[in-house]
Amino acid sequence: MRISVVTVFPEYFDSPLGVSLVGRAIADGRLEVDFHDPRDHANGVHRQVDDAPFGGGPGMVMMPEPLARILEPLEGTHRVLFTPAGAPLTQSTLDRFAEMDHLTLVCGRYEGVDERIADHFIDEEVSLGDYVLLGGEVAASVVIEGVARLLPGVVGNPSSIESESFRGNLLEEPQYTRPADFRGWKAPEVLLSGDHGRIAEWRERQRRERTAQRRPDLLDDDERPVGSGCV
Ligand code: 6GU
């Protein structure tokens, strides 16, 4: 898979792309990432990429021409713009992106990009959530990591992908490892019992209870505890 990242801060990605499973996926050739810096496509001695908003107001807007020069030749790839005004990123977004041959991730900066870029050169707008960051670089590194671990051969044991939180819309159950007694805090007896039927039952109940407690919004209406504040 190839991911093209459009950013005025390509150096931001040095460490996230260098370490852990993402670093290995790139070294193994399972994932290729390239960068396009709008500043390299800007005119004039100052190579300006942002300008004051029409109509006035605070902040700056990313100018259309440098972005168009990058994004027009990338037509045919799936072009994603990161903006707090986008649709919230979920696991199903990442599942969809992981199926693509070539993904283009556009990191908005300043107050955003000129809307004509979004209208004509962007397939989808995505947000990390309901809070404000300085730009889309964090979101792009989230998507790269979330997609990379879904690519064939990147995660050693694919069943760890199948059972995790947000598959089947339940949070993961708590996990324990040695020692069985840590400072007097004991791991649940059932996990040491060797009874795989009881263990599976316990884990399933933990997933449901946790989800009901912490994320009732993930449950169907009939599974939600009464008074959870969800409609
Ligand atoms: Cl994708 N960009 C910015 N600037 N802020 C955000 C965001 C993205 N997602 C949440 N907040």
Side-chain angles (χ1 to χ4, degrees):
M1 178 181 196
R2 174 178 292 277
I3 300 181
S4 296
V5 182
V6 181
T7 174
V8 289
F9 296 118
E11 67 276 16
Y12 177 90
F13 294 87
D14 288 350
S15 40
L17 296 187
V19 301
S20 186
L21 292 180
V22 175
R24 178 123 49 86
I26 292 171
D28 292 349
R30 296 179 200 278
L31 175 64
E32 289 179 272
V33 182
D34 54 43
F35 293 94
H36 303 264
D37 185 344
R39 222 169 273 288
D40 296 336
H41 300 265
N43 292 325
V45 280
H46 300 295
R47 302 211 292 163
Q48 194 182 341
V49 294
D50 60 334
D51 205 343
F54 280 140
M60 298 289 268
V61 177
M62 289 181 87
M63 297 157 62
E65 189 58 44
L67 288 171
R69 286 182 184 158
I70 295 168
L71 292 172
E72 195 162 28
L74 287 167
E75 183 171 1
T77 75
H78 191 67
R79 295 168 298 184
V80 177
L81 173 65
F82 293 113
T83 157
L89 180 71
T90 66
Q91 186 61 47
S92 65
T93 320
L94 296 173
D95 293 347
R96 208 157 40 76
F97 289 175
E99 296 298 318
M100 312 228 168
D101 296 326
H102 189 164
L103 199 56
T104 297
L105 304 178
V106 184
C107 304
R109 274 269 152 185
Y110 318 110
E111 290 306 298
V113 309
D114 188 291
E115 191 64 19
R116 292 163 292 187
I117 291 298
D119 288 344
H120 299 286
F121 299 109
I122 291 296
D123 299 300
E124 180 167 357
E125 297 183 41
V126 168
S127 163
L128 283 189
D130 294 337
Y131 41 82
V132 178
L133 304 170
L134 293 174
E137 282 75 9
V138 178
S141 81
V142 166
V143 166
I144 293 168
E145 182 166 322
V147 163
R149 61 186 289 286
L150 298 175
L151 299 177
V154 171
V155 168
N157 177 4
S159 68
S160 69
I161 289 177
E162 294 311 314
S163 72
E164 69 207 357
S165 292
F166 300 113
R167 304 239 172 233
N169 272 357
L170 290 178
L171 302 183
E172 278 207 318
E173 72 278 12
Q175 304 287 337
Y176 299 85
T177 188
R178 281 179 290 211
D181 183 332
F182 171 63
R183 300 186 176 180
W185 300 315
K186 294 189 172 52
E189 174 276 325
V190 56
L191 297 178
L192 308 168
S193 68
D195 182 337
H196 295 294
R198 268 182 72 213
I199 291 171
E201 222 170 83
W202 181 86
R203 286 180 164 159
E204 177 67 17
R205 186 161 17 91
Q206 290 288 320
R207 286 197 286 271
R208 300 210 167 273
E209 283 177 11
R210 268 198 162 187
T211 310
Q213 274 283 324
R214 301 180 181 190
R215 295 294 308 278
D217 57 299
L218 295 177
L219 295 174
D220 294 336
D221 290 339
D222 55 336
E223 296 173 304
R224 221 170 270 150
V226 176
S228 64
C230 285
V231 285

